[in-house]
Amino acid sequence: MACDARALTLPRPRSAPAADPWLRRLRPGPAQSAAGAARVVCFPHAGGGAGTYRPLATAVAARTVGGRPYEVLAVQYPGRNDRIREARVEDLRALAAGAYRALAPLTDRPLVLLGHSMGALVAYEVARLLERDGVAPAHLIVSSAWAPSKVRGGTVHLRDDDGLIDEIRRTQGTDPRLLDNRDVLAMALPVVRSDYQAVETYRHRPGPPLTTPITALTGDRDPLVTVEEAAAWEEHTTGGFRLRVFPGGDHFYLSGHWAELADHLVSAPPRQVVAAVG
């Protein structure tokens, strides 16, 4: 199984910390007293950082003028960007636990969780922890991700550097010029390897399905996740499910569809199963 690794340049984010090293504020929210205000929390893909979602924050801002205010936050995993000096976390549930602890004080408003690829699994595990505490998220949006029960194992993280680079090339998620830059690779490959390990060693633990509504988004040409694997997210919720398939979309369809994703974020969560293609 392969993970995505688009953000190999590891840019230093310009977003402000949100009172916790795990969170970055991409779009400020309203005052605490604002009724109906919601927080969107974004979980990056393997190899990615919080800044990946800055275009989404801009798109959300354009859709909430005069409407419901949204605060957009993104999770910053340890060992990358401005947390580069911290130890990397190679266990997906440990990543979820860290994000959960950061979000627990922020449940005074509805939480919308959004994750892409590996980030979808982290967001799902965070949703389970929140529901355990009796605070169900308002909506879980999962993008380009296997349903937890469909995650495949893998050994890519055990390969040498050349083998890991070959796999990144195969997924076609990274500018090939970056893969020829040894300085970039020396900084990025340890992060990518750790994230591969987190996903490849993840095994879903049986338990009650979420009550949180789930929307699954995927591209019909994704080389890593089939439409059937994305549709299987329906098995993991009793709160309503919606599937959106983007024609011609690959694993990174997201970069060309920030506007549509923003529409999903600001719309009401699904109340029944609706499969929509196109």
Coordinates of all heavy atoms in Angstrom, one line a residue, residues 76-151:
Q76 N -1.1 20.0 13.0 CA 0.3 20.0 12.6 C 0.9 18.8 13.3 O 1.1 18.8 14.6 CB 1.0 21.3 13.0 CG 2.5 21.4 12.5 CD 2.5 21.7 11.0 OE1 2.1 20.9 10.2 NE2 3.0 22.9 10.7
Y77 N 1.2 17.7 12.6 CA 1.9 16.5 13.2 C 3.3 16.9 13.6 O 4.0 17.7 13.0 CB 1.9 15.4 12.2 CG 0.6 15.0 11.6 CD1 0.5 14.8 10.2 CD2 -0.6 14.8 12.3 CE1 -0.7 14.5 9.6 CE2 -1.8 14.5 11.7 CZ -1.9 14.3 10.3 OH -3.1 14.0 9.8
P78 N 3.8 16.2 14.6 CA 5.2 16.4 15.1 C 6.2 16.0 14.0 O 5.9 15.1 13.1 CB 5.3 15.5 16.3 CG 3.9 15.2 16.8 CD 3.1 15.2 15.5
G79 N 7.4 16.6 14.1 CA 8.5 16.1 13.2 C 8.6 16.8 11.9 O 9.4 16.4 11.0
R80 N 7.8 17.8 11.6 CA 7.8 18.5 10.3 C 7.5 20.0 10.5 O 7.1 20.4 11.5 CB 6.7 17.9 9.4 CG 5.3 18.2 9.8 CD 4.3 17.2 9.3 NE 4.6 15.9 10.0 CZ 4.3 14.7 9.5 NH1 3.7 14.6 8.3 NH2 4.5 13.6 10.2
N81 N 7.8 20.8 9.4 CA 7.6 22.2 9.4 C 8.1 22.8 10.7 O 9.3 22.6 11.1 CB 6.1 22.5 9.3 CG 5.5 21.9 8.0 OD1 4.6 21.1 8.0 ND2 6.1 22.3 6.9
D82 N 7.3 23.6 11.4 CA 7.9 24.3 12.6 C 8.0 23.3 13.8 O 8.4 23.8 14.9 CB 7.0 25.5 13.0 CG 5.5 25.2 13.1 OD1 5.1 24.1 12.8 OD2 4.8 26.1 13.6
R83 N 7.6 22.1 13.7 CA 7.8 21.1 14.7 C 8.9 20.1 14.3 O 8.9 18.9 14.8 CB 6.5 20.3 15.0 CG 5.3 21.2 15.4 CD 4.1 20.4 15.8 NE 4.3 19.7 17.1 CZ 3.5 18.9 17.6 NH1 2.3 18.6 17.0 NH2 3.7 18.3 18.8
I84 N 9.8 20.5 13.4 CA 10.8 19.6 12.9 C 11.7 19.0 13.9 O 12.3 17.9 13.7 CB 11.6 20.4 11.8 CG1 12.5 19.4 10.9 CG2 12.4 21.5 12.4 CD1 11.7 18.4 10.1
R85 N 11.9 19.7 15.0 CA 12.8 19.3 16.0 C 12.2 18.3 17.0 O 12.9 17.7 17.8 CB 13.4 20.4 16.8 CG 14.2 21.4 16.0 CD 14.9 22.5 16.8 NE 15.6 23.4 16.0 CZ 16.8 23.2 15.5 NH1 17.5 22.1 15.8 NH2 17.4 24.2 14.7
E86 N 10.9 18.0 16.9 CA 10.2 17.1 17.7 C 10.3 15.7 17.2 O 10.4 15.5 15.9 CB 8.8 17.5 17.9 CG 8.6 18.9 18.6 CD 7.1 19.2 18.7 OE1 6.3 18.3 19.1 OE2 6.8 20.4 18.5
A87 N 10.2 14.7 18.0 CA 10.2 13.3 17.6 C 9.0 13.0 16.7 O 7.9 13.4 17.0 CB 10.2 12.4 18.8
R88 N 9.2 12.3 15.6 CA 8.1 11.9 14.7 C 7.3 10.8 15.4 O 7.8 10.1 16.2 CB 8.7 11.4 13.4 CG 9.4 12.5 12.6 CD 9.8 11.9 11.3 NE 10.8 10.8 11.4 CZ 12.1 11.0 11.6 NH1 12.6 12.2 11.7 NH2 12.9 10.0 11.7
V89 N 6.0 10.8 15.1 CA 5.1 9.8 15.6 C 4.8 8.8 14.5 O 4.3 9.1 13.5 CB 3.8 10.4 16.2 CG1 2.8 9.4 16.7 CG2 4.1 11.4 17.3
E90 N 5.1 7.5 14.8 CA 4.9 6.5 13.8 C 3.8 5.5 14.1 O 3.7 4.4 13.5 CB 6.3 5.7 13.7 CG 7.4 6.6 13.2 CD 8.8 6.0 13.3 OE1 8.9 4.9 14.0 OE2 9.7 6.5 12.6
D91 N 2.9 5.9 14.9 CA 1.7 5.2 15.2 C 0.5 6.0 15.0 O 0.4 7.1 15.6 CB 1.7 4.7 16.7 CG 0.5 3.9 17.1 OD1 -0.5 4.5 17.5 OD2 0.5 2.7 17.0
L92 N -0.5 5.6 14.2 CA -1.6 6.4 13.8 C -2.5 6.7 15.0 O -3.0 7.9 15.1 CB -2.4 5.7 12.7 CG -3.4 6.6 12.0 CD1 -3.3 6.4 10.5 CD2 -4.8 6.3 12.5
R93 N -2.7 5.8 15.9 CA -3.6 6.1 17.0 C -2.9 7.1 18.0 O -3.6 7.9 18.6 CB -3.9 4.8 17.8 CG -5.0 4.0 17.1 CD -5.5 2.8 17.9 NE -6.5 2.1 17.2 CZ -6.2 1.2 16.2 NH1 -4.9 0.9 15.9 NH2 -7.2 0.5 15.6
A94 N -1.6 7.1 18.0 CA -0.9 8.1 18.8 C -1.0 9.5 18.2 O -1.2 10.5 18.9 CB 0.6 7.7 19.0
L95 N -1.0 9.5 16.9 CA -1.3 10.8 16.2 C -2.7 11.3 16.6 O -2.9 12.5 16.9 CB -1.1 10.7 14.7 CG 0.3 10.6 14.1 CD1 0.2 10.2 12.7 CD2 1.0 11.9 14.3
A96 N -3.6 10.4 16.5 CA -5.0 10.7 16.8 C -5.1 11.2 18.3 O -5.9 12.1 18.6 CB -5.9 9.5 16.6
A97 N -4.4 10.5 19.2 CA -4.5 10.9 20.6 C -4.0 12.3 20.8 O -4.6 13.0 21.6 CB -3.8 9.9 21.4
G98 N -2.9 12.6 20.2 CA -2.3 14.0 20.3 C -3.3 15.0 19.8 O -3.5 16.1 20.5
A99 N -3.9 14.8 18.6 CA -4.8 15.7 18.1 C -6.1 15.8 19.0 O -6.6 16.9 19.2 CB -5.2 15.3 16.7
Y100 N -6.5 14.7 19.5 CA -7.7 14.7 20.4 C -7.5 15.5 21.6 O -8.4 16.3 22.0 CB -8.0 13.2 20.7 CG -8.8 13.1 22.0 CD1 -10.2 13.4 22.0 CD2 -8.2 12.7 23.2 CE1 -10.9 13.2 23.2 CE2 -8.9 12.5 24.3 CZ -10.2 12.8 24.4 OH -10.9 12.7 25.5
R101 N -6.3 15.4 22.2 CA -6.1 16.2 23.4 C -6.1 17.7 23.1 O -6.5 18.5 24.0 CB -4.7 15.8 24.0 CG -4.8 14.4 24.7 CD -3.5 14.1 25.5 NE -2.3 14.0 24.7 CZ -1.9 12.8 24.2 NH1 -2.6 11.7 24.5 NH2 -0.8 12.8 23.4
A102 N -5.6 18.1 21.9 CA -5.6 19.5 21.6 C -7.0 20.0 21.3 O -7.3 21.1 21.5 CB -4.7 19.7 20.3
L103 N -7.9 19.1 20.8 CA -9.2 19.5 20.4 C -10.2 19.4 21.6 O -11.3 20.1 21.5 CB -9.8 18.6 19.3 CG -9.1 18.9 17.9 CD1 -9.6 17.8 16.9 CD2 -9.3 20.3 17.4
A104 N -9.9 18.6 22.6 CA -10.9 18.4 23.7 C -11.4 19.8 24.3 O -12.5 19.9 24.6 CB -10.3 17.5 24.7
P105 N -10.5 20.8 24.5 CA -11.0 22.0 25.0 C -11.8 22.9 24.1 O -12.3 23.9 24.5 CB -9.7 22.8 25.4 CG -8.6 21.7 25.4 CD -9.0 20.8 24.3
L106 N -11.9 22.5 22.8 CA -12.5 23.3 21.8 C -13.9 22.8 21.4 O -14.5 23.1 20.4 CB -11.7 23.3 20.5 CG -10.2 23.9 20.7 CD1 -9.5 23.9 19.4 CD2 -10.2 25.3 21.4
T107 N -14.5 21.9 22.2 CA -15.8 21.3 21.9 C -17.0 22.2 22.3 O -18.1 21.7 22.3 CB -15.9 19.9 22.5 OG1 -15.7 20.0 23.9 CG2 -14.9 19.0 21.9
D108 N -16.7 23.4 22.7 CA -17.8 24.3 23.0 C -18.6 24.7 21.7 O -19.6 25.3 21.8 CB -17.3 25.6 23.7 CG -16.2 26.3 22.9 OD1 -15.3 25.6 22.4 OD2 -16.3 27.6 22.7
R109 N -18.0 24.5 20.6 CA -18.6 24.7 19.3 C -18.7 23.4 18.5 O -17.9 22.5 18.7 CB -17.9 25.8 18.5 CG -17.8 27.1 19.2 CD -17.1 28.1 18.2 NE -16.6 29.3 18.9 CZ -15.8 30.2 18.5 NH1 -15.2 29.9 17.3 NH2 -15.4 31.2 19.2
P110 N -19.6 23.3 17.5 CA -19.6 22.2 16.7 C -18.3 22.0 15.9 O -17.7 23.0 15.5 CB -20.7 22.5 15.7 CG -21.6 23.5 16.3 CD -20.7 24.3 17.2
L111 N -17.8 20.8 15.9 CA -16.5 20.4 15.2 C -16.9 19.7 13.9 O -17.6 18.7 13.9 CB -15.6 19.6 16.1 CG -15.0 20.2 17.3 CD1 -14.2 19.2 18.1 CD2 -14.1 21.4 16.9
V112 N -16.3 20.2 12.8 CA -16.3 19.4 11.5 C -14.9 18.9 11.3 O -14.0 19.8 11.2 CB -16.8 20.4 10.4 CG1 -16.8 19.6 9.0 CG2 -18.2 20.9 10.6
L113 N -14.8 17.6 11.1 CA -13.4 17.1 10.9 C -13.3 16.7 9.5 O -14.2 16.1 8.9 CB -13.3 15.8 11.8 CG -13.5 15.9 13.3 CD1 -13.2 14.6 14.0 CD2 -12.8 17.1 13.9
L114 N -12.2 17.1 8.9 CA -11.9 16.8 7.5 C -10.5 16.2 7.4 O -9.5 16.8 7.9 CB -11.9 18.1 6.7 CG -11.2 18.0 5.3 CD1 -12.0 17.1 4.3 CD2 -11.1 19.4 4.7
G115 N -10.3 15.0 6.7 CA -9.0 14.4 6.6 C -8.9 13.9 5.2 O -9.8 13.4 4.6
H116 N -7.6 14.1 4.6 CA -7.3 13.6 3.3 C -6.3 12.4 3.4 O -5.3 12.5 4.1 CB -6.7 14.7 2.4 CG -6.3 14.2 1.1 ND1 -7.3 14.0 0.1 CD2 -5.2 14.0 0.5 CE1 -6.7 13.6 -1.0 NE2 -5.4 13.6 -0.8
S117 N -6.7 11.3 2.8 CA -5.8 10.1 2.8 C -5.5 9.7 4.3 O -6.4 9.4 5.0 CB -4.6 10.3 2.0 OG -3.9 9.1 1.6
M118 N -4.2 9.6 4.6 CA -3.9 9.2 6.0 C -4.7 10.1 7.0 O -5.1 9.6 8.1 CB -2.4 9.4 6.3 CG -2.0 9.0 7.7 SD -0.2 9.4 8.1 CE -0.3 11.1 8.5
G119 N -4.8 11.4 6.7 CA -5.5 12.3 7.6 C -7.0 11.9 7.9 O -7.5 12.2 8.9
A120 N -7.6 11.2 6.9 CA -9.0 10.7 7.1 C -9.0 9.7 8.2 O -9.9 9.7 9.0 CB -9.5 10.1 5.8
L121 N -8.0 8.8 8.2 CA -8.0 7.8 9.3 C -7.7 8.4 10.7 O -8.3 8.0 11.7 CB -6.9 6.7 9.0 CG -7.2 5.9 7.7 CD1 -6.0 5.0 7.3 CD2 -8.4 5.0 7.8
V122 N -6.8 9.4 10.7 CA -6.5 10.1 12.0 C -7.8 10.8 12.4 O -8.2 10.7 13.6 CB -5.4 11.1 11.8 CG1 -5.1 11.8 13.1 CG2 -4.1 10.4 11.3
A123 N -8.5 11.5 11.5 CA -9.7 12.2 11.9 C -10.8 11.2 12.4 O -11.5 11.5 13.4 CB -10.3 12.9 10.7
Y124 N -10.9 10.0 11.8 CA -11.8 9.0 12.2 C -11.5 8.6 13.6 O -12.5 8.5 14.5 CB -11.8 7.8 11.3 CG -12.5 6.6 11.8 CD1 -13.8 6.5 11.8 CD2 -11.7 5.5 12.2 CE1 -14.5 5.3 12.3 CE2 -12.3 4.3 12.7 CZ -13.7 4.2 12.7 OH -14.3 3.1 13.2
E125 N -10.3 8.3 13.9 CA -9.9 7.9 15.3 C -10.2 9.0 16.3 O -10.5 8.7 17.4 CB -8.5 7.4 15.3 CG -8.2 6.1 14.6 CD -8.9 4.9 15.2 OE1 -9.3 5.0 16.4 OE2 -9.1 3.8 14.6
V126 N -10.0 10.2 15.9 CA -10.3 11.4 16.8 C -11.8 11.4 17.0 O -12.2 11.6 18.2 CB -9.8 12.7 16.2 CG1 -10.3 13.9 17.0 CG2 -8.3 12.7 16.2
A127 N -12.6 11.2 16.0 CA -14.0 11.2 16.1 C -14.5 10.1 17.1 O -15.4 10.3 18.0 CB -14.7 11.0 14.8
R128 N -13.8 8.9 17.1 CA -14.2 7.9 18.0 C -13.9 8.3 19.5 O -14.7 8.0 20.4 CB -13.4 6.6 17.7 CG -13.7 5.9 16.4 CD -12.8 4.7 16.2 NE -13.6 3.5 16.4 CZ -13.1 2.2 16.3 NH1 -11.8 2.1 16.0 NH2 -13.9 1.2 16.5
L129 N -12.7 9.0 19.7 CA -12.4 9.4 21.0 C -13.4 10.5 21.5 O -13.8 10.5 22.7 CB -11.0 10.0 21.0 CG -9.9 8.9 20.8 CD1 -8.5 9.6 20.6 CD2 -9.8 7.9 21.9
L130 N -13.8 11.4 20.6 CA -14.7 12.4 21.0 C -16.1 11.8 21.3 O -16.7 12.2 22.3 CB -14.8 13.5 19.9 CG -13.6 14.4 19.7 CD1 -13.8 15.2 18.4 CD2 -13.4 15.3 20.9
E131 N -16.5 10.9 20.5 CA -17.8 10.2 20.8 C -17.7 9.4 22.1 O -18.7 9.3 22.9 CB -18.2 9.3 19.7 CG -18.6 10.1 18.4 CD -19.6 9.3 17.5 OE1 -20.0 8.2 17.9 OE2 -19.9 9.8 16.5
R132 N -16.6 8.9 22.4 CA -16.4 8.2 23.7 C -16.7 9.1 24.9 O -17.2 8.7 25.9 CB -15.0 7.6 23.8 CG -14.7 6.9 25.1 CD -13.2 6.7 25.3 NE -12.5 8.1 25.5 CZ -11.2 8.2 25.6 NH1 -10.4 7.2 25.4 NH2 -10.7 9.4 25.8
D133 N -16.3 10.4 24.7 CA -16.5 11.4 25.7 C -17.9 12.0 25.6 O -18.2 13.0 26.4 CB -15.5 12.5 25.5 CG -14.1 12.1 25.9 OD1 -13.9 11.0 26.5 OD2 -13.1 12.8 25.6
G134 N -18.8 11.6 24.7 CA -20.1 12.1 24.6 C -20.2 13.4 23.8 O -21.2 14.1 23.9
V135 N -19.1 13.7 23.0 CA -19.1 14.9 22.2 C -18.9 14.5 20.7 O -17.8 14.5 20.2 CB -18.0 15.9 22.7 CG1 -18.2 17.2 21.9 CG2 -18.1 16.1 24.2
A136 N -20.0 14.2 20.1 CA -19.9 13.7 18.7 C -19.6 14.9 17.8 O -20.3 16.0 17.9 CB -21.2 13.0 18.2
P137 N -18.7 14.8 16.8 CA -18.5 15.9 15.8 C -19.8 16.1 15.0 O -20.6 15.2 14.9 CB -17.3 15.4 15.0 CG -16.6 14.4 15.8 CD -17.7 13.7 16.7
A138 N -19.9 17.3 14.5 CA -21.1 17.6 13.7 C -21.0 16.8 12.3 O -22.0 16.5 11.7 CB -21.2 19.1 13.4
H139 N -19.8 16.6 11.8 CA -19.6 16.0 10.5 C -18.2 15.5 10.3 O -17.3 16.1 10.9 CB -19.9 17.1 9.5 CG -20.2 16.6 8.1 ND1 -20.5 17.5 7.0 CD2 -20.2 15.4 7.5 CE1 -20.7 16.8 5.9 NE2 -20.5 15.6 6.2
L140 N -18.0 14.4 9.7 CA -16.7 13.9 9.3 C -16.6 13.8 7.8 O -17.4 13.1 7.2 CB -16.5 12.5 10.0 CG -15.2 11.7 9.6 CD1 -13.9 12.5 9.9 CD2 -15.2 10.3 10.2
I141 N -15.7 14.5 7.2 CA -15.5 14.4 5.8 C -14.2 13.7 5.5 O -13.1 14.2 6.0 CB -15.5 15.8 5.2 CG1 -16.9 16.5 5.5 CG2 -15.3 15.8 3.7 CD1 -17.0 17.9 5.0
V142 N -14.2 12.7 4.7 CA -13.0 11.9 4.5 C -12.7 11.9 3.0 O -13.6 11.7 2.1 CB -13.2 10.4 5.0 CG1 -13.3 10.4 6.5 CG2 -14.4 9.7 4.4
S143 N -11.5 12.1 2.6 CA -11.1 12.4 1.2 C -10.0 11.4 0.8 O -9.1 11.2 1.5 CB -10.7 13.8 1.0 OG -10.1 14.0 -0.2
S144 N -10.2 10.8 -0.4 CA -9.2 9.9 -0.9 C -8.7 8.9 0.1 O -7.5 8.7 0.3 CB -8.0 10.7 -1.5 OG -8.4 11.4 -2.6
A145 N -9.6 8.2 0.8 CA -9.2 7.3 1.9 C -10.0 6.0 1.9 O -11.2 6.0 1.6 CB -9.4 8.1 3.2
W146 N -9.2 5.0 2.2 CA -9.8 3.7 2.4 C -10.7 3.8 3.7 O -10.4 4.4 4.7 CB -8.8 2.6 2.7 CG -7.6 2.6 1.7 CD1 -7.5 1.9 0.6 CD2 -6.4 3.4 1.9 NE1 -6.3 2.1 0.0 CE2 -5.6 3.0 0.8 CE3 -6.0 4.3 2.8 CZ2 -4.4 3.6 0.6 CZ3 -4.8 4.9 2.7 CH2 -4.0 4.5 1.6
A147 N -11.8 3.1 3.7 CA -12.6 3.0 4.9 C -11.7 2.2 5.9 O -10.9 1.4 5.5 CB -13.9 2.2 4.7
P148 N -11.8 2.5 7.2 CA -10.9 1.8 8.2 C -10.9 0.3 8.1 O -9.8 -0.3 8.3 CB -11.5 2.3 9.5 CG -12.2 3.6 9.2 CD -12.7 3.4 7.8
S149 N -12.0 -0.3 7.7 CA -12.1 -1.8 7.6 C -11.4 -2.3 6.3 O -11.3 -3.5 6.2 CB -13.5 -2.2 7.7 OG -14.3 -1.6 6.7
K150 N -11.1 -1.4 5.4 CA -10.5 -1.7 4.1 C -9.0 -1.4 4.0 O -8.4 -1.6 3.0 CB -11.2 -1.1 3.0 CG -12.7 -1.4 3.0 CD -13.0 -2.9 2.7 CE -14.5 -3.2 2.6 NZ -14.7 -4.6 2.3
V151 N -8.4 -0.8 5.1 CA -7.0 -0.4 5.0 C -6.1 -1.7 4.8 O -6.3 -2.7 5.5 CB -6.6 0.3 6.3 CG1 -5.1 0.6 6.3 CG2 -7.4 1.6 6.4

